[in-house]
Amino acid sequence: MSDVLNYNPDCLFCKIIKGDIPSNKVYEDDLCYAFYDIDPQAPTHFLVIPKAHIQSCGAVTAEDAALVGHMFQVIAQVTKELGVTDFRVVSNCGAQAGQTVPHLHFHVLAGRDMTWPPG
Ligand code: AMP
Ligand code: ZN
């Protein structure tokens, strides 16, 4: 169980961070939390989320710059630990782009061939 900065009681990922909804943890520190996606789109598919409620990439401010950089360092570390060298990082911002949970998250997908452009 962790505290969430700007906790949003209606937010699924805030509840996951607090431990009110179970998740399959990959990594955790003071700033962020990573867990496997419940509906994986690749053999390896996990999400990295900040422990602060930030709506999306579109809501990131200059104050969040170090946090977002840290999340990418965590992605590099966790993929290494999982033995993953080739992977894709995706962040959907807004409904038209496919965002369904309005709490900033980076999808990390690996373990299969990927196409470009994404659908
Ligand atoms: P997005 O659609 O880009 O906002 O991504 C949200 C992701 O959260 C989707 O890939 C969902 O499968 C995933 N998701 C939703 N609920 C849960 C949950 N309880 N545990 C893990 N992943 C979840
Ligand atoms: Zn949230």
Side-chain angles (χ1 to χ4, degrees), residues 8 10-13 53-56 99-105:
N8 179 337
D10 299 322
C11 174
L12 175 69
F13 287 173
H53 180 84
I54 298 169
Q55 178 133 340
S56 71
Q99 185 176 14
T100 58
V101 179
H103 181 127
L104 175 64
H105 49 283

Side-chain angles (χ1 to χ4, degrees), residues 46-66:
F46 64 89
L47 305 171
V48 182
I49 65 177
K51 284 189 174 175
H53 180 84
I54 298 169
Q55 178 133 340
S56 71
C57 281
V60 169
T61 66
E63 281 185 359
D64 303 319

Side-chain angles (χ1 to χ4, degrees), residues 10-51:
D10 299 322
C11 174
L12 175 69
F13 287 173
C14 282
K15 290 180 191 162
I16 283 181
I17 294 164
K18 272 190 83 179
D20 291 346
I21 290 176
S23 62
N24 191 359
K25 176 164 94 171
V26 189
Y27 173 90
E28 179 172 17
D29 63 28
D30 288 349
L31 296 175
C32 67
Y33 185 72
F35 57 107
Y36 286 105
D37 197 292
I38 203 168
D39 181 21
Q41 302 301 311
T44 299
H45 183 180
F46 64 89
L47 305 171
V48 182
I49 65 177
K51 284 189 174 175

